[in-house]
Amino acid sequence: MENSSSLSQPYADGLPVRESAISAVSWAAVFAGAVIAAALSLALFAGGTGLGFLSVSPWGDEGMSAPAIGIGIIVWMLFTQIVSYGIGGYVAGRLRTKWVDVHSDEVYFRDTAHGFLVWALSAIVSAALLGSALASMASGVAKAGAAVAATAGTAATAAAAAGASGGGMERATDYLTDSLLRSDRPEATADPEAARAEVGRIVAMSVTRGDMTPEDRDYVVKVVAAQAGVEPAVAQRRVDQAIQNAKKAAEDAKQKAKEAADAARKAAAAFALWGFASMLIGAFVASLAATWGGRRRDAVYRV
């Protein structure tokens, strides 16, 4: 009578092929290796953060620079994959059940599959534990670059307006109030500080809109001519030159913002590609280490 743990399969070379009804996958060993790999990944991630490989110092002359931090993150990520999945795969190979009467090629394939399962299961666990942190790190690079670029653009625009206003951007309501109280003939004896502030608000509003209206231009020319004591033609040239300078500063700020945002996008894409490469390396290392562990387990097996 046949053993109940074996099933008769179709004949091969005139002889029945016997196959165990038990799965070839040692799930207990796979889970053990995956838990070990996930725990080591978490520990190494925390260790890298504590050692300063994953953070930038706020002091300009201390710690590593941003490019060095990027290299450090990549190197530590590769190191984490190799160590955690190497140990996890090896443990799974040592703990799996010994397969009796199985060809050596099939044993090698099964050990490789066990290592790959360790990597796959551990990757899912690690994604739950570290996914949000890694995603925040990757997106933080892009967001930080975009924020810096936006801040630089706003600062440059505000600086262009502040050069004329002396106080920066004022609210739109102040500009509308000024337009309601304008005089057709600004006097040279008017308060210079008030005239400067009013012109500054007009210039700031013009920079925000992208151009100065004809009414604002005519009024500013009159104020400049009255306050500076120059001919209207000279005041016109000054106003035109100031508007051109403000436009150029705004365009330069926008260009720098685009360049910074593009650089941040490229950095985030490079980080994602390195993350993909490190995961492939982790899968290879886990599979290879499992074959080493399985071979060692079979070598020391005693009946």
Side-chain angles (χ1 to χ4, degrees), residues 144-276:
V148 171
T151 302
T154 303
T157 304
S165 66
M169 290 287 190
E170 298 292 340
R171 293 181 303 175
T173 53
D174 295 334
Y175 167 79
L176 294 176
T177 302
D178 291 339
S179 65
L180 292 174
L181 300 177
R182 286 177 185 174
S183 173
D184 293 336
R185 293 180 296 176
E187 299 293 338
T189 57
D191 184 8
E193 293 299 327
R196 178 188 295 270
E198 182 181 10
V199 170
R201 288 189 288 270
I202 295 174
V203 173
M205 200 67 180
S206 300
V207 171
T208 303
R209 291 182 306 201
D211 198 3
M212 183 178 289
T213 63
E215 294 80 7
D216 288 342
R217 187 188 301 269
D218 294 339
Y219 180 76
V220 170
V221 169
K222 292 178 182 179
V223 174
V224 171
Q227 291 293 326
V230 297
E231 296 295 328
V234 177
Q236 180 72 45
R237 288 195 296 270
R238 289 186 182 182
V239 172
D240 292 341
Q241 184 63 42
I243 294 175
Q244 291 179 2
N245 293 338
K247 288 183 178 179
K248 185 176 184 303
E251 291 297 327
D252 291 343
K254 290 180 181 179
Q255 182 63 28
K256 290 181 180 179
K258 291 179 180 179
E259 292 176 356
D262 186 63
R265 178 190 61 81
K266 292 179 179 179
F271 181 84
L273 288 176
W274 275 108
F276 172 72

Side-chain angles (χ1 to χ4, degrees), residues 46-115:
T49 303
L51 293 174
F53 295 149
L54 309 179
S55 60
V56 181
S57 174
W59 305 105
D61 298 331
E62 296 183 8
M64 295 186 295
S65 62
I69 286 293
I71 297 175
I73 291 175
I74 293 173
V75 172
W76 192 257
M77 189 165 50
L78 294 174
F79 176 77
T80 299
Q81 293 283 320
I82 293 173
V83 172
S84 59
Y85 288 117
I87 295 176
Y90 184 83
V91 169
R94 290 296 298 268
L95 295 180
R96 57 90 170 157
T97 303
K98 179 178 176 61
W99 299 299
V100 182
D101 297 333
V102 177
H103 194 277
S104 59
D105 291 342
E106 180 63 18
V107 172
Y108 185 84
F109 173 81
R110 292 183 181 183
D111 282 333
T112 303
H114 275 66

Side-chain angles (χ1 to χ4, degrees), residues 27-59:
W27 284 109
V30 170
F31 276 106
V35 170
I36 291 174
L40 285 175
S41 297
L42 181 61
L44 290 174
F45 179 82
T49 303
L51 293 174
F53 295 149
L54 309 179
S55 60
V56 181
S57 174
W59 305 105

